[in-house]
Amino acid sequence: MSFELYFELQSRRDTNMKCDWVRQNILFYVYNEIEDDARYEIEQHLGRCPECATELKATRKFSGGAFGNSGGRADAEPAGGLAHAVAGSARNDAAGRTLAAV
């Protein structure tokens, strides 16, 4: 195996491992529940990896959808009637019934 091929394969392996780690920690990043050094590593990786940057965008959209325009803060109030729908579903589940759609 040539040095160039070895280096290319090693680089892909390292990138895939980094992508896996970033994707496992992306929600902690969004909720600001991650150490500063890990935040720095994620930000550096996001600047080089369009796939993980897309994952971040989707995660922010998802978390922002549940918490309105709060930026995904965990202490924010849920958007719209989400809290009411969840509470109602929990009451129905406790009574042995389930809702077909919320």
Side-chain angles (χ1 to χ4, degrees), residues 30-31 60 62-79:
V30 168
Y31 284 100
R60 282 186 169 153
F62 173 77
S63 65
F67 293 98
N69 293 326
S70 68
R73 287 191 348 262
D75 62 340
E77 287 295 318

Side-chain angles (χ1 to χ4, degrees), residues 6-95:
Y6 173 79
F7 183 74
E8 175 71 21
L9 292 174
Q10 187 69 26
S11 178
R12 285 185 189 175
R13 184 176 127 309
D14 291 345
T15 299
N16 289 339
M17 288 176 63
K18 182 65 102 173
C19 287
D20 291 343
W21 181 83
V22 167
R23 289 177 181 153
Q24 289 171 2
N25 289 285
I26 201 88
L27 196 56
F28 296 114
Y29 175 82
V30 168
Y31 284 100
N32 201 23
E33 296 289 333
I34 200 161
E35 297 293 326
D36 289 340
D37 57 339
R39 173 172 290 284
Y40 176 80
E41 289 297 322
I42 289 173
E43 289 169 351
Q44 294 299 306
H45 179 79
L46 291 170
R48 295 185 305 264
C49 182
E51 292 86 9
C52 288
T54 300
E55 184 77 18
L56 172 63
K57 191 175 191 178
T59 301
R60 282 186 169 153
K61 183 177 180 182
F62 173 77
S63 65
F67 293 98
N69 293 326
S70 68
R73 287 191 348 262
D75 62 340
E77 287 295 318
L82 180 62
H84 179 72
V86 169
S89 180
R91 283 191 298 274
N92 287 337
D93 285 348

